[in-house]
Each structure stands twice: as C-alpha cells, then as structure tokens.
Amino acid sequence: MRLRAAASLTAAVATVAVLAGTTTQVSAAETVPTNAFASPTAYADFLKHSNEEGALETLKGFEALSPNKQSQFLRYVQDPALYKDFIVSSADEQNSVTALTADTNRTVSLRDGDVTFESNSVVSGLTASASGVLPAGSHKVERSNTIKALGVPVAKLTIWVEFQSNGRDITKVIDADGAAQRWGPISIKKEKPKMSLGTQQFCERGGRCVGGHTAIASIIWNFDGGSAAYDKRQVLKVGRNGTGSTSLQNP
C-alpha cells in the first residue's frame, strides 16, 4: 500500500453487468464545499446543486430520513473509520476471490445495521454459446462498488473493460476505464487506467482444460479524507465465457 497518511478509506456495494456495445457516462469529480456538511439543510442544498452523477438519488434518500437520522448520516459520512471498516469487512475483495460467475448477494452490516456493504454480482445481458464462449463481437463488463449509510449512497467506484471476441476466445482488449462519485468530504481520484490481455486455463468440471485469454482492467484509486489518505488498486478480470473476478488490494 502506498500510504500517504496514517489511516485507511474505501467504499463498496458491488454490481457487475456484461453489456454489449454500450458506454457508461460519468461526471468528473467536483469540489465539495467545506460547509456542505454543516447541517442537514446545507447538505441537501449541496446535493441539489451538485453535478455529480447520482447526487439526486442520494438527495432523495437523504430527504426521506428523519431530522435525527439526517444528522446521524452526516456524522457517518464524515467519519474516516467508516471506510477503514469496509476494508476489514471485505476479505473476499481483498483476497481476489470475488467471483462473477453467477448471481451472488452478500451483505455486511456495521454500526448496528446503520451501515451496509452489499455485494451483488450479476453477469447478464449476453448468453454464451453452446461451447461456453461468448459470441463474436465487442463485449463490455462493468463493476460498481457503493457504500451506504442508513440506506443512502455515500460513495461509488466503477470499473469496466471492453474487449473483442472471435467466438472462440478473447482476441483484443479495446478499452478499460473507471469513475468515482462521492457525496461526502472524501476525495477519490484515479490514476491512469491500464488494460491488458492475459492468459488462463479454462477447465470443465471433471473434464479437459483449454488455454485462452482474459481481458484485464486495472485502476489505482487515490483516497484522501484530510487526515487519512491511501491508495488501492482495483482489478477486473474477465474470461472468454464472460465470467471473471475482481479484487481491491494494496498497490
């Protein structure tokens, strides 16, 4: 880990989708005014005038909370320990074993259930052929990670990779990128995304194994909460059949 201060931050609820020929539009991170968290009224006003994608969703959830819950939400949003706790509670992503091979759901609750990290991995949009390989053409896999407090989104990371298949194997990685949105005082920036074509053995259960390629996207996220700053590398790897794995680890 490239430590830039003395603590840890990050974020997550996971959603994965396989898309064909689509492009995800994201906004550039905006500067959050320091007084945006001074009161529930100030925070709601900030969200109403925010250009950050997803701000209106957060505003809707925030306004649905009672005044006491709104004040509690603002305390959570500004607490660096909240993000550190996610790292501890996300061993699957930390150890690179989050599989995207089937629909899965995982929820970790903290703070007496006020904070949830909900992992929901979904592979959809395309059907592999009888041979178990994606059809020829351009395909895209996207994964989003969101942290919520009192059911309201606080921050979101997105990573995706687009690749070409010839109907038998992945032949080329076309693009890889990502975006970060946050509705709190934490700054999340990304270093230049990297893409690569990897190799892997694909084995049938109890059957033969064949060689093939994987499409890989890699992004280093820079988290900065003022007194706490650090970096995390997120990797998304997709196989020729449209399934894959993801990790969020120290660089």
Side-chain angles (χ1 to χ4, degrees), residues 57-178:
E57 178 188 354
T58 295
L59 174 63
K60 182 178 179 180
F62 180 72
E63 290 185 327
L65 298 175
S66 68
N68 287 340
K69 289 294 186 181
Q70 288 180 349
S71 297
Q72 187 178 14
F73 174 86
L74 292 179
R75 289 195 295 271
Y76 282 139
V77 167
Q78 298 177 83
D79 181 10
L82 180 73
Y83 308 93
K84 181 180 179 180
D85 286 346
F86 166 71
I87 296 295
V88 176
S89 303
S90 186
D92 57 349
E93 197 114 9
Q94 284 283 75
N95 296 321
S96 309
V97 297
T98 301
L100 315 183
T101 54
D103 293 357
T104 57
N105 293 282
R106 174 179 178 270
T107 300
V108 175
S109 297
L110 303 173
R111 308 294 200 281
D112 295 324
D114 286 348
V115 177
T116 57
F117 306 114
E118 308 158 0
S119 297
N120 175 28
S121 299
V122 181
V123 178
S124 62
L126 291 174
T127 303
S129 64
S131 62
V133 180
L134 290 173
S138 176
H139 306 298
K140 182 178 176 181
V141 173
E142 178 179 300
R143 179 176 179 82
S144 297
N145 303 311
T146 310
I147 183 174
K148 294 182 179 180
L150 301 173
V152 181
V154 173
K156 180 178 181 180
L157 303 179
T158 304
I159 184 172
W160 61 84
V161 62
E162 188 175 358
F163 56 92
Q164 191 77 26
S165 170
N166 62 7
R168 299 180 302 277
D169 194 13
I170 293 176
T171 57
K172 181 180 181 181
V173 181
I174 302 171
D175 188 32
D177 208 343

